[in-house]
Amino acid sequence: MDVTGVLHEAFGPDDVPSQAAENRARAALQQRMSSREPRVTSKDRRHRIRFAITAGVAVAAAAAVVAAVAVTRGDDHAPAPKAAPATSAVLPFARPASAAEYLENAAWTAERRPWTDPRPDQFMYIETLELRNKPAYENQHPNDPIRPGQGETRKIQEWNSVDGQTRASYRDGRLVVTKRGEGGDFFDRIAWSTITSMTDPDTIPDGVPGPGSMGVNLDAFIGQYVVPPNVQAAIFRHLARKPEMTVNPDAVNIDGRPAVGLGRIIEGYLSQELLFDKQTYQFIGERMVAIKDHVTHGDDGDAVIHRGDVYRQIIYAKMIIVDRPGDTR
């Protein structure tokens, strides 16, 4: 499906995006407002929503989605990938009905990915496809949902070293590699040892701790790091125990395939969801959509949200381990 087709699937023929076209899972958004809504300015809203979009986001449908996370090694003598767990080859739930059952199927699928532990000098490569407003419109209306006629799919490519010391991305068509502490581009990453320790659903934190006061919401974390299969499975099982997790009843077409949204209601009017392939239960993306009309009052005006407004939609096209920045396989 080409970009036009993807946007058509996301929005449908109506002027207002359908409820089945959204996503955004950001930790900051869960803390954006208290249960009693404070008075905020438009500047505050721009800061908060912009932060929610970018906080910890390396994250985001024009090409086929590669949602089963693969792992590559560049050396000829790399050990063979670890075999999948020797458990039943039958899905736990043939017809899942609840978020917990869907997430258990997702955990079961994740556990069967081949995996080779990366070296510290290798890189987590995450390629995402983000549905966003065109830059000119987005710069003028940073808080707006994705608008028909203004939306476009952007491919984002980022590389972060396993040891957290190097990152790379494309800027103006040029691959820029930054070492920690260089060029004023400050960044922190969660330690690999912390990531690999997250194998028990009972002890996984909702906020994954990082250096200093850094922390990443668990829903956002799985889109920012290439994690081992047993860690991803444990995260899904941890989320499955959350009573607030719900199943979005509307199927979403992602690159022509049906997807299911599993998530929670934020602030009473936003559905923050992780997206899974409805047939394979592979983790393929995230979205955030308004599930009902809402007005946020501010000193300099009101922000009006309409049911079906899409605030975030991201597809994870690749999440793999590579040898160096610029590698994509």
Side-chain angles (χ1 to χ4, degrees), residues 21-26 52-54 56-61 65 126-132 146 153-154 156 220 223-224 252 254 259 273-276 283-288 310-319:
E22 205 338 71
N23 95 32
R24 179 201 223 126
R26 283 306 156 257
I53 292 175
T54 58
V57 181
V59 335
V65 174
I126 298 180
E127 179 182 313
T128 54
L129 299 163
E130 288 193 39
L131 189 61
R132 292 173 62 173
I146 301 161
T153 298
R154 301 184 199 173
I156 310 296
Q224 298 174 34
V252 182
I254 303 296
E273 300 169 356
L274 303 177
L275 298 176
F276 296 84
F283 174 50
I284 62 174
E286 59 180 272
R287 69 177 184 170
M288 178 167 284
V310 176
Y311 284 92
R312 186 170 186 79
Q313 178 156 303
I314 291 177
I315 300 302
Y316 298 106
K318 286 187 180 180
M319 302 179 78

Side-chain angles (χ1 to χ4, degrees), residues 123-127 155 157-160 166-170 174-177 318 320-329:
F123 285 77
M124 303 180 210
Y125 171 59
I126 298 180
E127 179 182 313
K155 182 169 78 171
Q157 297 171 280
E158 293 202 355
W159 293 260
N160 280 278
T166 307
R167 77 185 315 173
S169 62
Y170 280 102
R174 183 172 65 93
L175 182 64
V176 177
V177 180
K318 286 187 180 180
I320 60 177
I321 300 294
V322 298
D323 283 335
R324 58 189 63 84
D327 287 353
T328 60
R329 60 181 67 186

Side-chain angles (χ1 to χ4, degrees), residues 32-98:
R32 207 179 98 212
M33 297 164 133
S34 63
S35 57
R36 294 188 62 188
E37 189 173 289
R39 291 184 63 82
V40 294
T41 65
S42 293
K43 181 178 180 182
D44 291 332
R45 290 195 297 271
R46 285 194 297 272
H47 173 73
R48 287 169 176 169
I49 296 221
R50 175 68 68 185
F51 180 72
I53 292 175
T54 58
V57 181
V59 335
V65 174
V66 184
V69 180
V71 178
T72 61
R73 295 287 298 239
D75 52 285
D76 293 335
H77 303 289
K82 295 176 181 178
T87 56
S88 170
V90 179
L91 277 167
F93 298 97
R95 294 180 178 82
S98 66

Side-chain angles (χ1 to χ4, degrees), residues 95-109:
R95 294 180 178 82
S98 66
E101 291 178 353
Y102 273 106
L103 285 162
E104 178 56 36
N105 278 1
W108 182 93
T109 297

